[in-house]
Amino acid sequence: MTDNSSHNAARGIPGWLGAKAGQVRSLGGQLASSTTVRPESWADYLAYTGTVTLALLALQCLTGLLLALDYEPYPLRAFASLLAIRNDAANGLLISNMHAVGSKLILFLLFVHMFRIMLVSAHRGPRAPQWYAGAALLFLMLFTGFSGYLLPWSQQSYWACVVGTESLRVFPLIGGAVTWLLRGGPDVSGPTLTRFYWLHITLLPLSILCLTWLHVKWVWKTRVAGPAGAWAVADLEKCIGCGKCGKICTFEAVSMAENPEDKKTPVFDASRCNACRTCLDACPSSCITLESPGGPVRFEPLFPENTARRALAVCITLLVYFGIAFFGSGFHKIPADPMLTPDRIKPDWYFLAPYQLLKVLPSETWGLLTLMALGLVVVFLPVLDKSGPRGLGQRPVYAALVFGGIAGFVLFTLWGWFS
Amino acid sequence: MDNTWNRRSFFKFSFAVLGAMGLGGVVASASKFLNSGRVSSKPHLAVKGAFAQDARSGAGGGGALMASKAPDGMYEIELDAVPQDSGVIVSAGALPVMVVRGSSGVRVFNATCSHLGCLVKWDPVQSMFVCPCHGGKYNADGQVVAGPPPYALKEHPAEEKDNLIRIAIA
C-alpha cells in the first residue's frame, strides 16, 4: 500500500472496521515474528499460569451465562432453581460443577501466578502498573468468588455470607455502612441475594474484563519477564557503539561508558535488567545476548512453538478441571435456614487462611490489622522492592520472605481446612 | 499452491477439524442445556425446606419456632415447645432469641453471637451457649467465658404464665 491509501480510506463504520482490521493484521504479524524465552526449568513453566487463567475465565463467562438463564435469585427459589438446573436440565450438573470448580481453580492459578512474578521480581520498574492491575484483579476475583458463594442459598453459603459481611463492621467509620450496603438491610436476606447476584453478573465481571484487557496489553508492551537472575551482556568486540540499547531500555538498565578504544559501549546493570530482550531486538550488530546462572538463555518463536506449549498447559489444566467437575460436586446439600447456624461453617478454600488467622488471633481488630498489613505489603511490593539483584540466590532475605509467606498461606489454609 | 499434502498442511487441516469438532461440541451441549425441560416450576418437586425459609424477611418460618405476638406486645410460645433443661431458638418477630429452660426457670437471650453474627447453641452438659462458627462460649448468664466474642449476650425479660413463655423484646 502506498501513502495515498489513507486519503482514499472509507469513512464511518467501514473505515473504522478497515482500520481495526489493519491493526489486527499488524498485531498478528508482530505475534508471528516474535520470539520468547524457551522454558528450561519448572519455574519457567509457571509463566503460563496467566494464559491458563484467561482460558478458564472465558469458560466461567460461558458457563455463567448459561446458568444465569435459569437461576432465580430469590430466597425461596434460588436453591430449588439451582437443583432444577443440576438435576433436570441436560448437561446442567456438568455446567454447574464447571462454574463452581472454575472459580476455585482460577484463584489457585492466580496465587501461583503472583508467586511466579515474585520469584522473577517482575513487579519492578515499568512492570509495576501490571502488578497493581493484577492485585486489583485478585481482589475483584475474590469478591466475585465471595458473591457467587452466596448464590446457591445453602446453609454453607448463607452463614459464610453472614460471617463475611459481619466481619467488615470492624473497619472504623465505614464498616457498618458497607455491611448494610452489601446486605441491603440489617440481616442477610432477600435483598442481599439480589445485590450479590447483580454484583456477580454485571459489575464484577465487567470490571474484571476491563482490567484484564489493560493487564494483558501492558504485558505485551513490557514483555514476559525472563528467568530470575538473567541479564543482558554485550560482546564488546562486535559492538559498534550506536547506543540504541540504552535509548530503548525501559528499565534504565543500560548506561554508555567510554572505553580506551574511544568507543562508547553499553554497561548493563544486572540488578535493573529484566531480561525482556528489547535491546537484543534493537541491536543492529546482534552483539547482545542473555546470560543466566545456568548458562545462555535460549529463545523460541512465539508461534507455533510457544503457543503450542501454552495450549498444552491449557489442555492439561482443563483435564484436571473436567476431572474435578465430573466427579467432585462439592455442592451444598442443605438449603439456607436463617434460624439455624450449622456446626461446620467455613468459607471457600481461598478464604481459609484469613479465616484461620482471624480465629487464632486474640482480637478481631488485631486480626484485621494483621490481614490489612499483609495485604498492603503484597499490593505495594513494587514500592518496597525496587532494585538490587533479581536472582533469589543473591538475596536470601527476600527469598525467605516470599517462601515464608507462601508456606504460611498454605499452612493456615490447611489448618483452616482440617480444624 | 500445489495440492500435495505436506506436514504443515496436514497439521493445519487436523487442527481445523479438531477445533470445529470442539466448538461444535460446546455449541451442541449448550443448546441441549437450553432446550431441555426444567421441572422446578412444578410445586410437587419443590425442595423440602427451600420454600419455607427466610424468616427474617418475613416469608416463612424456616426450622425455628415462631413466637406469636400478644396484644400487649409480648411474644408468646407454648411452654411445652421448650423441653426442660434445653435451649430452643425462637423467632420473635424478626429477632432470633434463645429460650433456655433450666432448674431456675426460663431465661431468654439474644441468640446472635456478638462476634460475627452466627446463632449460638445451648449446651446443656456444660450449661453454656456455644457459637458454632468461631468457638465463642458464654455462661448461663450470657457472659463471655471463651473465644472471640467482644460482649455478652443480651438478656430479654421473660416469664412463665398460663403454660406460656412470655418474652419482652425492647
Side-chain angles (χ1 to χ4, degrees):
Chain A
M1 279 286 152
T2 54
D3 281 342
N4 58 14
S5 65
S6 57
H7 296 288
N8 301 338
R11 287 165 186 275
I13 294 172
W16 184 83
L17 279 176
K20 281 288 156 203
Q23 283 176 15
V24 170
R25 260 199 303 278
S26 88
L27 184 67
Q30 283 180 44
L31 280 170
S33 62
S34 293
T35 60
T36 189
V37 179
R38 189 189 156 92
E40 307 278 358
S41 73
W42 64 272
D44 297 342
Y45 279 96
L46 295 182
Y48 301 164
T49 43
T51 307
V52 174
T53 310
L54 211 55
L56 283 180
L57 266 182
L59 272 177
Q60 284 302 93
C61 291
L62 180 72
T63 51
L65 278 173
L66 290 173
L67 290 172
L69 287 168
D70 288 301
Y71 172 76
E72 299 167 55
Y74 310 102
L76 300 185
R77 301 284 309 137
F79 193 84
S81 71
L82 205 55
L83 272 199
I85 291 173
R86 292 171 65 83
N87 296 343
D88 305 329
N91 306 320
L93 188 64
L94 179 65
I95 291 169
S96 155
N97 278 353
M98 276 167 74
H99 199 70
V101 171
S103 70
K104 296 168 208 285
L105 201 55
I106 282 178
L107 279 151
F108 173 75
L109 288 164
L110 284 181
F111 287 132
V112 178
H113 190 62
M114 203 163 74
F115 172 52
R116 191 259 164 184
I117 299 302
M118 288 174 173
L119 277 186
V120 299
S121 299
H123 52 265
R124 289 175 173 180
R127 287 204 184 93
Q130 275 140 262
W131 176 269
Y132 295 131
L137 276 170
L138 180 64
F139 170 79
L140 287 173
M141 302 237 193
L142 285 170
F143 194 14
T144 311
F146 179 64
S147 57
Y149 199 63
L150 178 69
L151 302 188
W153 202 250
S154 69
Q155 274 289 69
Q156 275 293 323
S157 52
Y158 180 88
W159 289 100
C161 181
V162 169
V163 172
T165 48
E166 188 72 31
S167 62
L168 296 174
R169 277 191 208 280
V170 183
F171 284 103
L173 300 174
I174 54 160
V178 171
T179 302
W180 183 283
L181 187 72
L182 280 176
R183 288 181 174 179
D187 300 307
V188 175
S189 59
T192 322
L193 185 54
T194 43
R195 280 173 190 218
F196 272 46
Y197 183 59
W198 179 80
L199 284 172
H200 191 79
I201 67 163
T202 56
L203 188 68
L204 292 171
L206 281 177
S207 317
I208 288 173
L209 198 72
C210 296
L211 263 178
T212 303
W213 181 75
L214 272 181
H215 188 73
V216 173
K217 196 181 159 186
W218 289 336
V219 170
W220 176 248
K221 205 173 122 195
T222 57
R223 302 218 214 180
V224 173
W231 69 96
V233 285
D235 180 354
L236 298 185
E237 301 276 303
K238 285 205 266 174
C239 177
I240 54 170
C242 66
K244 276 187 179 165
C245 48
K247 285 187 197 114
I248 207 156
C249 180
T250 47
F251 297 93
E252 294 170 358
V254 191
S255 53
M256 302 305 283
E258 300 280 349
N259 70 12
E261 289 157 43
D262 201 25
K263 186 173 78 173
K264 279 190 175 175
T265 50
V267 178
F268 290 93
D269 181 351
S271 67
R272 286 175 176 267
C273 175
N274 272 256
C276 70
R277 302 167 297 114
T278 311
C279 56
L280 272 77
D281 299 343
C283 179
S285 63
S286 305
C287 73
I288 308 172
T289 50
L290 276 192
E291 286 296 327
S292 78
V297 178
R298 291 189 291 166
F299 300 103
E300 64 184 6
L302 193 60
F303 186 86
E305 277 87 343
N306 196 256
T307 311
R309 279 188 214 276
R310 283 171 193 269
L312 190 65
V314 170
C315 288
I316 291 170
T317 315
L318 287 184
L319 216 58
V320 176
Y321 169 77
F322 278 112
I324 305 171
F326 267 119
F327 299 112
S329 85
F331 185 70
H332 312 142
K333 292 173 180 66
I334 308 162
D337 182 349
M339 288 289 158
L340 178 76
T341 307
D343 276 333
R344 293 175 64 77
I345 156 85
K346 277 177 192 175
D348 217 351
W349 83 267
Y350 38 88
F351 286 124
L352 280 175
Y355 157 86
Q356 188 61 31
L357 193 73
L358 285 179
K359 242 166 89 171
V360 291
L361 285 173
S363 86
E364 199 67 17
T365 317
W366 276 109
L368 209 83
L369 281 176
T370 313
L371 278 182
M372 276 179 67
L374 288 173
L376 285 176
V377 166
V378 171
V379 169
F380 291 106
L381 189 64
V383 179
L384 299 171
D385 174 60
K386 276 183 181 161
S387 56
R390 290 198 309 133
L392 290 179
Q394 292 127 280
R395 38 187 196 144
V397 177
Y398 177 84
L401 285 176
V402 169
F403 282 100
I406 306 292
F409 181 80
V410 172
L411 195 79
F412 271 88
T413 302
L414 290 175
W415 191 2
W417 184 277
F418 290 110
S419 69
Chain B
M1 280 279 194
D2 60 346
N3 288 325
T4 54
W5 282 86
N6 55 27
R7 187 148 48 169
R8 182 169 290 261
S9 58
F10 171 74
F11 273 108
K12 271 190 177 174
F13 178 74
S14 309
F15 280 118
V17 169
L18 279 175
M21 279 167 69
L23 198 66
V26 170
V27 170
S29 320
S31 339
K32 204 177 166 195
F33 171 79
L34 293 178
N35 291 323
S36 60
R38 307 282 190 278
V39 287
S40 72
S41 51
K42 294 177 187 166
H44 67 275
L45 280 160
V47 192
K48 197 182 168 194
F51 280 82
Q53 326 154 17
D54 206 29
R56 289 184 185 188
S57 59
L65 285 171
M66 294 287 281
S68 52
K69 199 168 184 181
D72 60 356
M74 302 276 274
Y75 286 93
E76 295 176 343
I77 51 159
E78 302 273 333
L79 186 63
D80 298 343
V82 186
Q84 187 64 36
D85 296 322
S86 76
V88 170
I89 297 237
V90 173
S91 180
L95 186 75
V97 293
M98 172 67 82
V99 181
V100 182
R101 245 182 101 185
S103 47
S104 57
V106 172
R107 293 181 78 177
V108 177
F109 292 89
N110 200 337
T112 306
C113 177
S114 63
H115 179 221
L116 288 175
C118 295
L119 299 185
V120 296
K121 290 178 166 60
W122 172 249
D123 181 348
V125 181
Q126 300 183 72
S127 282
M128 271 183 195
F129 298 98
V130 181
C131 178
C133 289
H134 303 93
K137 284 181 181 175
Y138 306 82
N139 65 16
D141 295 324
Q143 301 299 321
V144 182
V145 288
Y151 45 86
L153 295 177
K154 189 187 172 199
E155 183 164 7
H156 298 283
E159 57 175 7
E160 275 182 60
K161 196 181 173 188
D162 304 337
N163 228 21
L164 286 175
I165 299 172
R166 290 168 49 80
I167 309 159
I169 306 290

